[in-house]
Amino acid sequence: MITVLEINTIKSMDNYIKQFAYSMQKFETENGNDGYLIACILLANLEKSFNAFKLLMKSGYFIETNSVGRFIYEQLCYCLTIFDMEFDQIKKVNPTKTIKNIKIFNKEFSKIYGMFSKYVHFEIKDLYKIIDFETDPETKDDVIILKDYKRDKDHDLLGIYIVLTMLYSFVIKHIAEKNKEKCYEEIMKISKRFWKTVRVVMPKIHISDA
């Protein structure tokens, strides 16, 4: 069961995601190229994916939440890679080959992808996590009963949601600064408010927001 504190944290992150996404719809730079335009569009569109992550998490759909989380991570890495490229270059970029580029912010972030993949690749050995067997009292036959996925206690989806929001802010701030975006100052103001909130909800965090 999700707690009141967790609900309030989700609402706070949701508010910042909306603000960051809206900032990407207002780009006015004359220095941007094809990659910057595409990156802005994809980053604005990620608001929908964050909403999907939030709804799946609140509904208790563990595997599905991780699948959406991995997609968000891939898109962030892709945008970070293509934002300074021209269209002919972008066509040659495979999104799944860009996942390590997030290390420019913090080398530990690159581990997130493998963490997601652990749960989205479902194998035969994982079946015990979603089924039980019961005996039908009339036929005496064994019946398969589907159950909720048995999740690892240390796989904190709310914490992951916050980290993905952090990465979202990093990528948006990075590409806006590099392209001398006119709304960069507005993005910086959103970012400063966002990090104040992060430090409240995750007091033990040690990642620099510089």
Side-chain angles (χ1 to χ4, degrees), residues 133-143:
F133 290 96
E134 290 187 4
T135 303
D136 187 300
E138 295 183 3
T139 65
K140 305 303 181 183
D141 293 330
D142 285 335
V143 180

Side-chain angles (χ1 to χ4, degrees), residues 173-187:
K173 189 167 65 171
H174 180 76
I175 71 169
E177 181 181 21
K178 293 293 183 182
N179 281 274
K180 297 179 172 59
E181 177 59 71
K182 292 179 180 179
C183 66
Y184 177 67
E185 288 186 11
E186 178 186 341
I187 292 170

Side-chain angles (χ1 to χ4, degrees), residues 10-205:
I10 291 169
K11 286 181 179 178
S12 294
M13 294 300 104
D14 188 43
N15 180 48
Y16 288 115
I17 289 166
K18 282 180 167 56
Q19 292 180 57
F20 282 126
Y22 184 63
S23 71
M24 288 290 92
Q25 297 176 50
K26 299 194 299 180
F27 58 90
E28 301 175 3
T29 184
E30 297 176 357
N31 301 317
N33 49 21
D34 295 335
Y36 184 65
L37 171 62
I38 294 169
C40 286
I41 293 170
L42 293 178
L43 288 166
N45 193 61
L46 272 183
E47 180 186 355
K48 300 174 185 176
S49 301
F50 274 104
N51 281 334
F53 186 101
K54 174 186 65 178
L55 293 171
L56 288 167
M57 175 175 60
K58 290 170 73 174
S59 300
Y61 295 124
F62 181 74
I63 298 173
E64 293 76 9
T65 307
N66 280 281
S67 298
V68 175
R70 192 173 76 159
F71 171 76
I72 293 172
Y73 180 87
E74 287 178 350
Q75 288 287 278
L76 291 174
C77 293
Y78 181 65
C79 291
L80 187 61
T81 303
I82 67 165
F83 80 91
D84 58 353
M85 293 182 177
E86 297 298 339
F87 190 70
D88 288 342
Q89 295 174 288
I90 296 169
K91 289 192 294 185
K92 300 175 184 178
V93 178
N94 182 336
T96 60
K97 302 297 184 183
T98 67
I99 58 175
K100 293 185 179 180
N101 293 344
I102 208 79
K103 288 194 295 186
I104 68 168
F105 302 124
N106 187 300
K107 63 181 181 180
E108 296 298 314
F109 284 147
S110 61
K111 298 177 181 179
I112 297 175
Y113 190 80
M115 183 176 60
F116 282 134
S117 297
K118 177 182 177 182
Y119 297 101
V120 301
H121 293 154
F122 208 77
E123 302 177 20
I124 292 176
K125 62 182 177 63
D126 298 313
L127 283 178
Y128 77 94
K129 296 179 179 179
I130 62 167
I131 63 171
D132 273 329
F133 290 96
E134 290 187 4
T135 303
D136 187 300
E138 295 183 3
T139 65
K140 305 303 181 183
D141 293 330
D142 285 335
V143 180
I144 294 175
I145 305 296
L146 292 176
K147 63 179 183 179
D148 291 337
Y149 185 88
K150 186 179 179 181
R151 53 185 289 181
D152 292 347
K153 292 181 180 179
D154 61 348
H155 194 78
D156 177 18
L157 287 176
L158 179 59
I160 292 170
Y161 183 68
I162 296 172
V163 171
L164 286 174
T165 309
M166 289 161 50
L167 292 179
Y168 191 46
S169 73
F170 279 143
V171 174
I172 288 175
K173 189 167 65 171
H174 180 76
I175 71 169
E177 181 181 21
K178 293 293 183 182
N179 281 274
K180 297 179 172 59
E181 177 59 71
K182 292 179 180 179
C183 66
Y184 177 67
E185 288 186 11
E186 178 186 341
I187 292 170
M188 281 298 296
K189 289 178 182 178
I190 299 170
S191 182
K192 288 181 183 299
R193 294 195 300 269
F194 166 70
W195 276 97
K196 285 182 180 178
T197 302
V198 168
R199 290 191 177 99
V200 171
V201 299
M202 295 180 72
K204 295 181 180 179
I205 201 161

